[in-house]
Amino acid sequence: MSEQTLDQDRLIWMFTQMLRIREFEERVKRTFEEHPGVIRGHTHLADGAEASIVGSLSAIGPQDFVLTTYRCHGYPIVLGTDPKVMMAEIYGRKDGLCGGYGGSMHLTDVGRGFLGTSGIVGQGIPHATGAAYAAQIEGKGRVVLSFFGDGASKQGAFHESLNVASLWKLPIVYVMENNSYNVVTRVEQEDANAAAGEPLAVKAKAFSMPGVTVDGADPVAVHDEVAAAVGRARSGGGPTLVESLVYRLSAHGNIIAPPGVPLHFPEHEAIEVFGAPEEYEAAKRGDPVPRFRARLVTDGTLSAEEADELAAAARDEMAAAVTYGVESPFPAGEEATRYVYA
């Protein structure tokens, strides 16, 4: 049973957040072509996971905490972070969310319950587990959501964290966003050679906690599963592992090019590595954003015109974020060592 009732307004809110995430990431991706050299270093997008992100976060309250992997742009957007300061952070600017120190993979907004991310695969999981332990000691009913990819389930940090969370009945929900690829390795290759378990949610059995698999392209289905897990955690029942099945629609990340060549995003691994454009086209047909739009228009929650207006508003909002980021100043050179020494 859902912890919250998804009425018409809530469904429209979910769709709006999905549009905002998608448009933000589209703007980040286009920056490599429209503003060469502005983004320096690695950037990873989560387009295709919007329904999973929004469905999960719709199941928690303002008192709860969230920690994620390095595909982290969507979560703070939903939690209320200003996209302008997020874009400025990705551009390495002084007016950025973290003063330009964190960049794309290390966004943090503690005031909104977003405790941060990790560029190291799986290492956000023990941080989230520690936050859940603190929440348990605090005793105010706070729940933690820990997001990570399928590849992180092969890390020791995953097993150690789930083990202690189960032993201590910590108030945490582990959301594994299985995005079908681990860099250039297909998930079915992982299952055969390394991941040991299909679906991956069966790993929960080893730690005596519930494990469920859900269609990550359906925000309502994700909400229902995560809300049930949140309710269980908040009532003292302990952790749950939710495997959310999504398909990453962009390549793993941008390419760090040699000097003189702009950074750019390659084609998706299904095309560039495996030569399977039909796989990618099938995934695009299941894109959660137009899929949820069609659902809301068909059932009368939104008219087509209203849906188009929401999409236009998201485009305008994120265009303004790009302008803000590009026009923001860089940090002064002497600030480079500001957080290096205690």
Side-chain angles (χ1 to χ4, degrees):
M1 180 181 296
S2 298
E3 190 176 62
Q4 303 167 356
T5 300
L6 294 178
D7 58 16
Q8 184 173 1
D9 289 343
R10 193 65 171 169
L11 293 171
I12 294 172
W13 176 87
M14 293 171 80
F15 178 57
T16 301
Q17 301 312 311
M18 290 171 64
L19 288 171
R20 295 177 72 231
I21 296 171
R22 173 62 60 87
E23 189 59 31
F24 184 91
E25 298 225 287
E26 284 294 317
R27 292 285 175 171
V28 171
K29 194 172 185 178
R30 284 165 53 184
T31 296
F32 289 97
E33 297 178 358
E34 297 175 356
H35 302 282
V38 167
I39 296 179
R40 306 177 186 186
H42 281 294
T43 301
H44 304 273
L45 306 180
D47 46 346
E50 295 88 353
S52 179
I53 294 168
V54 174
S56 297
L57 296 183
S58 68
I60 62 172
Q63 77 277 22
D64 298 321
F65 287 147
V66 176
L67 292 94
T68 74
T69 183
Y70 49 81
R71 296 187 192 281
C72 57
H73 305 149
Y75 309 92
I77 288 175
V78 178
L79 293 173
T81 303
D82 186 348
K84 289 186 175 70
V85 298
M86 288 178 56
M87 198 69 78
E89 181 63 32
I90 292 170
Y91 294 173
R93 305 305 173 99
K94 183 176 181 178
D95 296 333
L97 180 61
C98 303
Y101 288 93
S104 175
M105 293 194 290
H106 303 97
L107 302 177
T108 302
D109 193 348
V110 176
R112 289 178 172 81
F114 189 62
L115 300 190
T117 61
S118 175
I120 302 172
V121 174
Q123 294 311 301
I125 303 174
H127 296 165
T129 305
Y133 184 38
Q136 184 185 68
I137 293 171
E138 188 181 37
K140 295 182 179 179
R142 198 189 307 273
V143 171
V144 178
L145 293 192
S146 173
F147 292 89
F148 50 91
D150 52 282
S153 69
K154 298 192 288 291
Q155 292 282 1
F158 167 85
H159 300 279
E160 294 157 3
S161 297
L162 268 66
N163 184 59
V164 74
S166 182
L167 285 172
W168 295 346
K169 293 191 179 300
L170 298 183
I172 186 168
V173 180
Y174 297 101
V175 183
M176 179 199 300
E177 292 181 325
N178 184 346
N179 65 16
S180 306
Y181 275 83
N182 185 355
V183 188
V184 298
T185 304
R186 284 171 164 159
V187 70
E188 57 264 30
Q189 294 173 297
E190 296 176 26
D191 293 341
N193 301 319
E198 174 60 40
L200 296 181
V202 301
K203 294 189 176 193
K205 292 183 179 180
F207 308 106
S208 302
M209 70 174 67
V212 296
T213 300
V214 64
D215 177 6
D218 182 346
V220 175
V222 174
H223 166 89
D224 289 346
E225 292 293 356
V226 175
V230 167
R232 179 173 184 268
R234 210 182 298 282
S235 65
T240 301
L241 174 63
V242 178
E243 179 189 15
S244 181
L245 300 177
V246 301
Y247 191 98
R248 169 168 53 75
L249 294 174
S250 286
H252 169 71
N254 62 290
I255 289 177
I256 302 295
V261 178
L263 281 68
H264 65 281
F265 264 85
E267 289 192 282
H268 190 277
E269 289 77 14
I271 300 172
E272 189 159 284
V273 177
F274 293 97
E278 66 283 354
E279 173 194 316
Y280 184 70
E281 290 305 316
K284 289 283 285 184
R285 289 192 293 272
D287 186 329
V289 177
R291 174 175 155 179
F292 195 49
R293 178 191 188 277
R295 174 175 173 176
L296 296 183
V297 171
T298 299
D299 68 17
T301 299
L302 278 173
S303 67
E305 293 75 18
E306 289 170 330
D308 290 342
E309 289 172 1
L310 291 173
R315 287 193 295 271
D316 290 344
E317 180 186 19
M318 301 315 166
V322 171
T323 300
Y324 180 87
V326 170
E327 294 179 353
S328 295
F330 286 101
E334 57 269 22
E335 295 180 25
T337 60
R338 182 177 178 186
Y339 298 111
V340 175
Y341 302 101

